[in-house]
Amino acid sequence: MHLYRSALLRFTDDGQAVYEEDGLLAIGPDAHGRQRVQAAGAWQQLSPQFAGQPVTHWPGRIIAPGFVDMHIHYPQTDVVGSPAEGLLPWLENYTFPHEKRFVAHGYGEQVAHFFCDELLRNGVTTALAFATSHPQSVDALFTEARHRQLRLITGKVLQDRHSPDGVRDETEQSLIDTEALIQRWHGVDRLGYAITPRFAPTSTPAQLRGAGELAARYPDVWIQSHVAENLDEVRWVQELFPRSRSYLAVYDDFGLMRERAVYAHCIHLDEADRALMHERRSAAAVSPTSNLFLGSGFFDYAGADRAGFAYGLASDVGGGTSFSPFHTMLAAYYVGREGQTKPGLSLPPQQLWWQHTAGAARALGLQGVAGNLQPGCEGDFIVLNPQATPLLARRTAQADSLDELLFAMIVLGDDRLVEQTVISQAK
Ligand code: GUN
Ligand code: ZN
């Protein structure tokens, strides 16, 4: 058992923040020897029962759950900041040419190493990531993530049409490769596999059908794709799949909507699509920095809440502009304001933070496992230093409430605010 003493942030199941100025977090092995949060709460109340246990004391710091990034492309680490008129030219001019590099032996390994460093520097301890269409890009990321004992989900991108040589795969082989990767990696330590059709325009109906069959055969494997991000993309899908009711319905028609299916963007949906997201228990990954950078549009928070489907925040690097969850939460605040019908405040800070931690974990089907520090959770955490920059120090010192404190960190924070990232499973 190890005790940590500092201010402590965690969440109730309904997304309320719980904050202790002087908190205790106890992490130790469960009956199966796996590291779990054993206790979390006020130091004064809990410490007597742990007398004699080693304590790490961080005065002036805040322990918070590790962030959960619901959608990120590790091969696009070097694509960040590539401007384009919109999604489709961005893919053609920057992303596909870049992803071709991952065919080379050893290329994915060094990017995966840098990528995991960057996740951890920014306080991200759980991620659902795209690899490329090359199976070796998946092996590279899983190998690196396993080495660091990260909770990471990824998969080989499926794209057997409308893709240039070098990233386009072959229908039958792509499905064979996917199944082999599921068997090699899914459930190893904290790794999970995601069946990963890039998006409907770059897969033939045969590939989507095969992906849906694998999704039925492996029900606890994740599914990830993109949907309704950009209006040109939406029109293209209507031409390619005229028999489907909508873009989202294409995925449903091929058996790709179910629990553990995560669709990035979900901007240009209608009410029937939103109802379908809810009915199929699929989740949306909301990527506001990407949507602002590529000019894709604004996620409709009110529409999502009306329909009741799950969603959480995501960087979408390299369409997204930052690995930092603070930048993503701030962009979500701006977008929440844009989409409003009534004037007033946007999303409250506790909700923004929840959407990038426990809420995102819930949307991934990892409630009570990741993204929170309640008893039973895995207990990956970050140590925040609110004095990391002069302005952070000055502004947080004047915060009169938890909301003010969280807001100051969301608005002013970046990787400098994250002093340490602690992976509780580390051997
Ligand atoms: N749609 C299909 N591929 C991609 C991608 O790599 N990034 C984004 N943002 N959208 C996509
Ligand atoms: Zn994406």
Side-chain angles (χ1 to χ4, degrees), residues 174-227:
S174 73
L175 299 167
I176 291 169
D177 289 342
T178 296
E179 187 160 23
L181 288 164
I182 292 172
Q183 290 176 354
R184 188 176 316 149
W185 291 110
H186 186 69
V188 172
D189 294 343
R190 291 201 291 169
L191 307 178
Y193 194 84
I195 297 166
T196 307
R198 177 161 216 125
F199 65 156
T202 49
S203 285
T204 58
Q207 192 176 47
L208 292 174
R209 195 170 304 113
E213 284 164 9
L214 285 170
R217 209 166 331 134
Y218 296 94
D220 66 337
V221 157
W222 281 267
I223 298 167
Q224 60 177 345
S225 192
H226 299 89
V227 75

Side-chain angles (χ1 to χ4, degrees), residues 296-332:
S296 304
F298 305 104
F299 181 75
D300 182 350
Y301 279 97
D305 290 341
R306 245 186 348 263
F309 67 83
Y311 58 84
L313 288 174
S315 65
D316 192 29
V317 158
T321 51
S322 174
F323 278 80
S324 175
F326 298 101
H327 290 177
T328 303
M329 291 188 286
L330 179 57

Side-chain angles (χ1 to χ4, degrees), residues 67-90:
F67 289 106
V68 177
D69 193 330
M70 284 187 70
H71 179 80
I72 184 165
H73 297 252
Y74 103 83
Q76 294 174 18
T77 299
D78 300 315
V79 179
V80 171
S82 303
E85 273 173 48
L87 171 69
L88 301 176
W90 177 81

Side-chain angles (χ1 to χ4, degrees), residues 81-247:
S82 303
E85 273 173 48
L87 171 69
L88 301 176
W90 177 81
L91 285 172
E92 190 179 325
N93 296 329
Y94 295 106
T95 306
F96 290 157
H98 194 88
E99 291 191 9
K100 286 180 192 178
R101 299 183 192 181
F102 285 75
V103 73
H105 183 74
Y107 190 79
E109 281 74 1
Q110 50 95 9
V111 179
H113 182 85
F114 183 90
F115 173 82
C116 290
D117 277 352
E118 201 63 16
L119 289 182
L120 290 167
R121 263 171 16 82
N122 282 283
V124 176
T125 54
T126 297
L128 172 58
F130 267 55
T132 65
S133 56
H134 316 95
Q136 60 270 35
S137 74
V138 177
D139 288 327
L141 183 56
F142 274 138
T143 301
E144 186 67 37
R146 187 179 189 197
H147 178 64
R148 297 167 191 247
Q149 290 294 306
L150 276 177
R151 179 167 273 289
L152 186 122
I153 307 163
T154 190
K156 179 206 127 48
V157 174
L158 299 167
Q159 52 180 122
D160 66 349
R161 68 166 165 173
H162 300 139
S163 307
D165 291 351
V167 290
R168 194 178 57 255
D169 59 11
E170 190 276 316
T171 315
E172 201 172 327
Q173 189 60 42
S174 73
L175 299 167
I176 291 169
D177 289 342
T178 296
E179 187 160 23
L181 288 164
I182 292 172
Q183 290 176 354
R184 188 176 316 149
W185 291 110
H186 186 69
V188 172
D189 294 343
R190 291 201 291 169
L191 307 178
Y193 194 84
I195 297 166
T196 307
R198 177 161 216 125
F199 65 156
T202 49
S203 285
T204 58
Q207 192 176 47
L208 292 174
R209 195 170 304 113
E213 284 164 9
L214 285 170
R217 209 166 331 134
Y218 296 94
D220 66 337
V221 157
W222 281 267
I223 298 167
Q224 60 177 345
S225 192
H226 299 89
V227 75
E229 175 178 4
N230 167 287
L231 289 171
D232 291 331
E233 170 208 19
V234 173
R235 277 190 284 273
W236 193 19
V237 173
Q238 277 164 354
E239 287 166 24
L240 292 170
F241 298 91
R243 294 222 295 266
S244 288
R245 196 204 68 82
S246 67
Y247 184 172

Side-chain angles (χ1 to χ4, degrees), residues 1 93 119 219 233 266 292 377:
M1 187 80 70
N93 296 329
L119 289 182
E233 170 208 19
C266 293
L292 294 168
C377 291

